[in-house]
Amino acid sequence: MLLILEPHTLPMTTVRIEGHLINTDPQVLQTIVSQVAKGGFFSIDMTTVRLAVLKFPWIKDVQIHRQWPNTLLIQVQERQVIAQWQNKALVDDEGYLFNVPLKRKGDLGLPQFYGPPNSVGKILERYNQLAPLVNAYGFSIHEFGYNARQTWYMVLDNGIKLRLSRYDKKNTRLQRFIKVYHRLLSTQKLPPVYVDLRYTNGIAVLHALAD
């Protein structure tokens, strides 16, 4: 038994990476794993290897397996990024905040989330409710969040800022705006820049000033 556990017995000579990697360089990952994967087939420290892989910011989960007689199989899952958090971090689909170099974030074309500390989960939940509706009508959300007074807002990709109602559980007021926009507002010479949806039976619209 002691001979089997010797690091030079059945040494690991191959590292194989599996998984759909978009933001993680598999060659860099393989190099790091090769550096920490010391030992033989039976003596290699799997925990050390796993922790080394999880240090990569985009890696959400990793499964490590031995394959006889000399291969270490690394199966990785990247985070699915949803938004940026106050231009400082990224938000994945579970509301987890993680950091990557700033130059990477600017290239992602993601909506910005803004809110009080520890509010990212709440913002993500409501964003997931509203984004499909907004997208279905040809818009996308550029910015989304709420302030300390629990006042929700979103900025659409065309620059219009919407002040949302916290009581609009069925999104009827948002749907009302979308219908009004397509019927009336989209054809006006001066486009709206701000729309308040907190009214029960109507909306308030502020237009841009003429040059």
Side-chain angles (χ1 to χ4, degrees):
M1 177 61 71
L2 293 178
L3 180 61
I4 291 177
L5 295 179
E6 283 292 328
H8 300 296
T9 302
L10 297 173
M12 288 291 194
T13 59
T14 302
V15 174
R16 193 164 86 245
I17 308 293
E18 289 185 355
H20 185 54
L21 297 179
I22 299 176
N23 298 289
T24 304
D25 189 330
Q27 293 184 341
V28 174
L29 181 58
Q30 188 172 36
T31 299
I32 295 299
V33 171
S34 298
Q35 292 173 352
V36 300
K38 305 299 184 181
F41 189 87
F42 295 103
S43 62
I44 188 170
D45 189 338
M46 306 285 273
T47 300
T48 298
V49 177
R50 185 173 191 276
L51 292 176
V53 175
L54 289 176
K55 287 183 179 180
F56 285 77
W58 284 98
I59 300 300
K60 178 179 181 180
D61 193 19
V62 56
Q63 301 293 327
I64 305 175
H65 307 279
R66 299 178 179 91
Q67 287 190 338
W68 184 265
N70 61 355
T71 299
L72 193 64
L73 173 62
I74 312 292
Q75 296 175 313
V76 294
Q77 179 184 3
E78 278 197 334
R79 300 186 184 281
Q80 181 181 350
V81 65
I82 300 297
Q84 294 180 231
W85 176 251
Q86 302 185 152
N87 204 31
K88 297 178 181 179
L90 299 180
V91 184
D92 75 1
D93 57 343
E94 295 182 349
Y96 177 82
L97 293 177
F98 65 104
N99 289 291
V100 297
L102 186 60
K103 63 181 181 179
R104 291 286 301 123
K105 290 186 287 190
D107 298 334
L108 298 177
L110 298 168
Q112 287 276 359
F113 285 177
Y114 287 92
N118 302 317
S119 63
V120 62
K122 185 175 182 180
I123 292 174
L124 177 62
E125 181 180 7
R126 192 165 189 197
Y127 173 84
N128 286 336
Q129 295 171 353
L130 298 181
L133 173 63
V134 171
N135 295 340
Y137 283 92
F139 300 104
S140 62
I141 298 177
H142 176 71
E143 189 176 313
F144 187 71
Y146 69 96
N147 59 24
R149 295 184 177 181
Q150 297 285 310
T151 301
W152 288 84
Y153 79 97
M154 75 168 66
V155 178
L156 300 177
D157 55 321
N158 59 7
I160 299 176
K161 183 173 183 177
L162 305 180
R163 188 71 68 183
L164 307 174
S165 171
R166 76 180 82 168
Y167 307 108
D168 191 18
K169 303 301 182 182
K170 296 183 178 180
N171 304 321
T172 53
R173 302 182 191 191
L174 179 58
Q175 293 182 64
R176 178 194 302 149
F177 157 75
I178 292 174
K179 292 177 181 178
V180 170
Y181 178 85
H182 284 298
R183 290 178 185 173
L184 302 173
L185 300 179
S186 62
T187 59
Q188 293 185 351
K189 184 177 181 180
L190 294 178
V193 295
Y194 174 86
V195 180
D196 194 336
L197 307 182
R198 292 175 293 177
Y199 298 92
T200 303
N201 297 311
I203 62 176
V205 179
L206 176 66
H207 290 273
L209 297 177
D211 295 333

